[in-house]
């Protein structure tokens, strides 16, 4: 592939962006206190609510997901937070919580394993915590945590708030936020939403919003009360990335054209296809029964250099990911999220087969 040509993205963010979405980002800006802006804001918020199956508050952030991870803990923890860790991104949330000066404890399982409801129950039985953080889809290991069971367990404990990072599952996997009683569900847009990076969004429950009024020193930019004051006027507190909002509106319309259930099914089919291929040729890194529908992490049992595979595939116009952090050479990851289609997955898998044959020849 020559410099300047675009490789198709099969990495777990940023993901492939459709041309129609890209084009809308170059629309002429509008004033963020105008009526036209409020119409844009309202359409986006309604679309997000529909996608997340929620009637609760929705806030938009001109930031990546990490900003809203910080916002979530800063607005809600009044006593102590339990951070459940099963990989790099759930560990990051613990680091974020700690670095905000919020009392917290890590509960960690081995990479590749999921968080079990029993682990959550044991932690909450100590009565020390009023908030827990969970990463729904641990992008570093390809593990999908059992969110429904975890939520059910957490709700046995009154007043424990459930904060969920849905960064690499939102808009790809069905999660019914209100039914599960998720207090904060957050994501950035460069993964399942399939937009360029630089924007994020979250839903906030009544309980989480109430907690926010009891917490002090949460800063200004990410204060839920401030965000809400402006959201009531269909605005954001500060100047947002309007190009992202145009793109999100276009993408929401495209998502509803496809149909939410069709979209979720497509992701499951793509994941099944990749898993089948990976089981035949390698081994899945994720614990059986907890494999993600948006990113597959493959144990490199054939012991070739992952960096060699990545470089050769890039030459052919495909970008996949190596392992994350300490798993860099041990695993590689294929993302099947956002606007990627099953035919493109088949094309990619053929290219990987051909490349591995070259490597092992
Ligand atoms: N959480 C998960 C599960 C992720 O996969 C990522 C990024 O890959 C993040 C959090 C951080 O997101 P961002 O880079 O948008 O801040």
């Amino acid at each position: 592939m020559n410099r300047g040509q675009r490789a198709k993205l099969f990495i777990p963010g940023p993901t492939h962006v459709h041309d129609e979405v890209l084009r809308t980002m170059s629309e002429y800006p509008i004033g963020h206190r105008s009526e036209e802006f409020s119409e844009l804001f309202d359409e986006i918020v309604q679309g997000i609510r529909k996608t997340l199956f929620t009637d609760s508050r929705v806030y938009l952030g001109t930031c990546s997901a990490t900003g809203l991870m910080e916002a979530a803990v800063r607005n809600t923890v009044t006593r102590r937070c339990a951070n459940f860790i099963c990989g790099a991104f759930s560990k990051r949330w613990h680091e974020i919580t700690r670095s905000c000066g919020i009392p917290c404890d890590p509960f960690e399982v081995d990479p590749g394993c999921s968080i079990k409801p029993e682990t959550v129950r044991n932690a909450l039985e100590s009565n020390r915590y009023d908030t827990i953080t969970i990463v729904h889809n641990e992008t570093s290991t390809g593990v999908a945590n059992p969110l429904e069971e975890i939520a059910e367990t957490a709700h046995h404990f009154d007043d424990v708030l459930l904060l969920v990072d849905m960064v690499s599952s939102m808009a790809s996997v069905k999660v019914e936020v209100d039914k599960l009683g998720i207090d904060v569900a957050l994501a950035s847009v460069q993964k399942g939403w399939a937009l360029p990076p630089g924007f994020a969004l979250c839903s906030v429950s009544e309980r989480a919003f109430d907690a926010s009024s009891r917490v002090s020193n949460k800063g200004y930019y990410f204060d839920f009360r401030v965000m809400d004051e402006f959201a009531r006027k269909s605005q954001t507190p500060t100047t947002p990335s309007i190009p992202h909002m145009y793109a999100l509106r276009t993408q929401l319309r495209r998502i509803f054209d496809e149909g939410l259930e069709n979209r979720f099914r497509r992701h499951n089919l793509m994941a099944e296809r990749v898993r089948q291929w990976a089981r035949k040729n390698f081994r899945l890194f994720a614990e059986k029964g907890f494999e993600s529908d948006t990113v597959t992490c493959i144990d490199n049992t054939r012991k070739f250099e992952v960096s060699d595979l990545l470089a050769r595939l890039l030459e052919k116009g495909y970008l996949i990911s190596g392992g994350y952090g300490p798993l860099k050479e041990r695993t590689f990851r294929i993302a099947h999220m956002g606007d990627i289609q099953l035919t493109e997955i088949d094309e990619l898998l053929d290219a990987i087969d051909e490349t591995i044959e070259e490597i092992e020849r």
Side-chain angles (χ1 to χ4, degrees):
M1 211 180 66
N2 297 322
R3 215 183 159 80
Q5 282 180 301
R6 287 195 312 212
K8 187 152 268 184
L9 301 177
F10 293 89
I11 54 175
T15 54
H16 172 70
V17 182
H18 196 278
D19 281 340
E20 187 189 348
V21 174
L22 273 179
R23 271 197 303 273
T24 54
M25 290 195 82
S26 59
E27 274 181 41
Y28 200 75
I30 48 174
H32 62 292
R33 302 292 177 230
S34 67
E35 211 169 293
E36 199 180 344
F37 177 90
S38 292
E39 282 164 18
L40 174 65
F41 182 99
D42 287 343
E43 183 174 343
I44 291 171
V45 167
Q46 284 312 325
I48 294 168
R49 287 198 178 116
K50 191 170 163 188
T51 309
L52 301 187
F53 300 86
T54 183
D55 293 325
S56 59
R57 294 167 160 84
V58 164
Y59 303 137
L60 308 176
T62 296
C63 57
S64 77
T66 306
L68 292 184
M69 289 164 86
E70 187 164 319
V73 288
R74 289 188 80 177
N75 277 274
T76 59
V77 186
T78 50
R79 209 152 27 105
R80 197 171 187 92
C81 182
N83 305 116
F84 293 93
I85 301 174
C86 60
F89 292 106
S90 31
K91 184 172 255 169
R92 174 92 56 86
W93 217 351
H94 176 57
E95 282 157 17
I96 290 169
T97 313
R98 210 179 37 190
S99 72
C100 288
I102 294 167
C104 57
D105 297 303
F107 293 87
E108 188 161 5
V109 298
D110 289 338
C113 297
S114 65
I115 302 295
K116 304 290 183 306
E118 304 84 83
T119 312
V120 175
R121 185 178 315 113
N122 289 341
L124 292 182
E125 272 171 353
S126 70
N127 276 331
R128 284 159 63 85
Y129 305 103
D130 62 356
T131 313
I132 67 173
T133 66
I134 298 281
V135 169
H136 178 208
N137 194 79
E138 181 46 77
T139 322
S140 63
T141 59
V143 165
N145 283 311
L147 200 49
E148 278 188 34
E149 289 86 342
I150 290 172
E152 199 187 325
T153 304
H155 294 316
H156 283 137
F157 298 85
D158 284 346
D159 299 332
V160 171
L161 296 178
L162 174 59
L163 315 182
V164 183
D165 166 334
M166 286 172 43
V167 173
S168 56
S169 58
M170 191 184 282
S172 294
V173 176
K174 186 172 186 174
V175 175
E176 296 182 78
V177 164
D178 284 358
K179 194 168 148 197
L180 267 56
I182 297 173
D183 292 291
V184 177
L186 64 92
S188 35
V189 295
Q190 75 276 14
K191 297 183 191 273
W193 289 103
L195 302 189
F199 206 69
L201 56 96
C202 65
S203 70
V204 172
S205 73
E206 208 54 41
R207 298 191 321 153
F209 186 69
D210 285 348
S212 181
S213 56
R214 285 179 268 123
V215 183
S216 47
N217 296 324
K218 49 192 184 271
Y220 181 86
Y221 196 63
F222 290 124
D223 183 341
F224 287 166
R225 313 296 292 191
V226 176
M227 287 167 132
D228 201 73
E229 188 190 322
F230 282 85
R232 282 171 192 280
K233 297 183 276 188
S234 303
Q235 291 179 6
T236 50
T238 56
T239 321
S241 171
I242 293 169
H244 277 97
M245 293 180 66
Y246 284 142
L248 188 48
R249 176 170 63 184
T250 303
Q251 185 62 330
L252 280 160
R253 289 175 183 170
R254 292 184 70 255
I255 288 173
F256 300 137
D257 278 349
E258 180 182 10
L260 277 175
E261 295 299 334
N262 291 338
R263 188 175 179 87
F264 301 141
R265 198 170 313 113
R266 173 168 58 80
H267 280 82
N268 179 256
L269 287 175
M270 293 192 297
E272 275 301 327
R273 185 69 53 89
V274 176
R275 285 197 281 266
Q276 230 171 36
W277 172 88
R279 284 194 193 102
K280 189 170 133 221
N281 295 289
F282 297 90
R283 196 168 54 207
L284 295 178
F285 188 72
E287 179 183 354
K288 196 167 185 315
F290 299 93
E291 301 92 347
S292 155
D293 266 0
T294 55
V295 57
T296 299
C297 184
I298 297 152
D299 203 346
N300 176 21
T301 47
R302 289 159 79 154
K303 308 279 184 218
F304 49 69
E305 276 184 32
V306 168
S307 47
D308 188 20
L309 172 68
L310 266 47
R312 286 172 188 254
L313 275 172
L314 190 56
E315 278 296 308
K316 295 175 184 171
Y318 303 96
L319 188 61
I320 65 165
S321 274
Y324 195 93
L327 300 171
K328 193 172 175 10
E329 278 296 327
R330 173 161 175 206
T331 63
F332 60 97
R333 292 171 300 156
I334 299 173
H336 25 82
M337 65 174 92
D339 280 347
I340 290 291
Q341 305 295 319
L342 197 55
T343 48
E344 294 168 303
I345 290 293
D346 284 338
E347 217 180 88
L348 171 74
L349 296 178
D350 285 347
I352 301 180
D353 279 336
E354 182 192 286
T355 310
I356 292 175
E357 213 178 292
E358 283 163 25
I359 293 174
E360 293 182 338
R361 194 174 289 154

